[in-house]
Amino acid sequence: MVGVWQRHPRYTVLVAVALITTFYLLVPSLASRIERSKVIYDKLLKDRQGLIKKFGPTPKTIDLFPPDVAPWPPYTVWDFFPAAFNCPHEVERLGALGDGGKWVCGLSRVAEKPDCIVYSFGMFATYSCSRSLTTYVEQIWGYDFSVKSFGPEIPRGRAHRTHFMAVGLAGRTRSAPATNPRCTPSRP
């Protein structure tokens, strides 16, 4: 193998050019990734200020862990900080800070795909993440045994792209009492 590279050094140059071209075309520029991360972080800061204003009105008056009373606590101390998990793409918060919103990895890559479908399990009457997702993806399928359909947060103009089934995930298969075991989807 070494003999081929020594006899034909142009192959080394050809392979190097092919690798550099592939890397340049497939990897987004560092500047655009930094700019997108800055936009996401600025949005997080704005949302954090809104959460403080709603439950504060100052940072010193925020309970780090609000009482566990109905409705379930609207936030925890962790909602004031960005996600801290490894992701090879940008990490972005969709939906409200507090209950209902979710951290998502690589949304920009999914949003570019035609006919993208998202499956959401266990929403419990908090649909802010699903509402945000309808601006990026083609369809959302929601599953939750505790509610009957998506709530009013889903805009009417995007409701045709959402589908809901009142079912849950469990360790065994069984039908809930007084429901149709065929589980046909309902529309908002």
Side-chain angles (χ1 to χ4, degrees), residues 65-87:
F65 296 95
D68 193 8
V69 295
W72 189 78
Y75 67 90
T76 67
V77 66
W78 310 118
D79 291 318
F80 291 95
F81 301 98
F85 59 85
N86 291 329
C87 170

Side-chain angles (χ1 to χ4, degrees), residues 73-146:
Y75 67 90
T76 67
V77 66
W78 310 118
D79 291 318
F80 291 95
F81 301 98
F85 59 85
N86 291 329
C87 170
H89 311 289
E90 77 282 351
V91 176
E92 183 174 354
R93 177 78 178 199
L94 284 186
L97 286 175
D99 194 26
K102 304 290 183 261
W103 289 103
V104 180
C105 170
L107 181 64
S108 64
R109 294 178 58 89
V110 172
E112 298 169 359
K113 307 292 183 200
D115 302 328
C116 180
I117 299 173
V118 171
Y119 299 94
S120 179
F121 296 89
M123 298 168 291
F124 189 65
T126 54
Y127 311 102
S128 64
C129 181
S130 298
R131 178 189 64 227
S132 297
L133 275 171
T134 60
T135 62
Y136 297 101
V137 300
E138 188 64 31
Q139 292 185 54
I140 299 174
W141 283 84
Y143 303 90
D144 193 318
F145 69 93
S146 66

Side-chain angles (χ1 to χ4, degrees), residues 2-3 7 26 28 45 52 62 65 80-81 89 112 124 138 150-151 158 177 179:
V2 176
R7 288 186 208 151
L26 294 180
L45 292 179
I52 290 170
I62 294 283
F65 296 95
F80 291 95
F81 301 98
H89 311 289
E112 298 169 359
F124 189 65
E138 188 64 31
F150 278 115
R158 295 185 227 147
T179 62

Side-chain angles (χ1 to χ4, degrees), residues 162-186:
T162 61
H163 314 279
F164 186 86
M165 288 187 185
V167 296
L169 296 177
R172 61 190 170 129
T173 302
R174 67 179 175 87
S175 298
T179 62
N180 182 347
R182 292 179 54 207
C183 297
T184 56
S186 63

Side-chain angles (χ1 to χ4, degrees), residues 9-31:
R10 66 180 172 263
Y11 290 132
T12 305
V13 173
L14 180 65
V15 169
V17 168
L19 288 173
I20 291 170
T21 303
T22 302
F23 183 76
Y24 178 76
L25 292 175
L26 294 180
V27 177
S29 73
L30 180 60

